[in-house]
Amino acid sequence: MTVVVTAMFTPKEGAFDDVVAALSPAIAEVHDEPGCMLYAIHEAPNGQIVMIEKWESAELLDAHGAGEPVKRLNASLEGLLAEPVEVTRLAAIPAGTSAQGAL
């Protein structure tokens, strides 16, 4: 079963571009990891950066979380965030069409 994750990054005042610069190399690297179906960042109206992830399984997501790209990403974010990253694993509640009713 696929797993969808959101990660909310809250940059310190004036550090938005630095956080994006820290996230960008990790995105390309994670796209090559086994099980990665989606790994993308978006700007929220409140200035947060929202990462949306989709993984083929919880096991592959767990392997990603313990991997070197995440360790490097966390190190590159050091001192740039106003609060800890808020990570949420989501469980789909499919509705409507199969193509539009779930990520």
Side-chain angles (χ1 to χ4, degrees):
M1 175 182 275
T2 61
V3 181
V4 174
V5 175
T6 60
M8 306 293 285
F9 298 84
T10 305
K12 285 185 175 178
E13 185 71 32
F16 183 91
D17 291 339
D18 294 328
V19 173
V20 170
L23 292 169
S24 294
I27 291 171
E29 195 172 5
V30 171
H31 284 169
D32 290 333
E33 289 185 21
C36 179
M37 301 171 73
L38 176 70
Y39 201 75
I41 56 175
H42 299 78
E43 182 177 356
N46 67 356
Q48 287 182 305
I49 297 167
V50 182
M51 179 177 285
I52 302 171
E53 307 176 33
K54 184 175 182 181
W55 293 87
E56 289 179 8
S57 70
E59 295 78 20
L60 291 170
L61 171 59
D62 291 341
H64 155 73
E68 291 302 315
V70 170
K71 290 176 186 173
R72 285 190 290 279
L73 172 60
N74 289 336
S76 70
L77 290 169
E78 203 58 43
L80 298 177
L81 301 176
E83 56 190 62
V85 179
E86 183 182 330
V87 178
T88 305
R89 288 188 186 206
L90 304 171
I93 304 173
T97 70
S98 59
Q100 295 171 301
L103 286 177

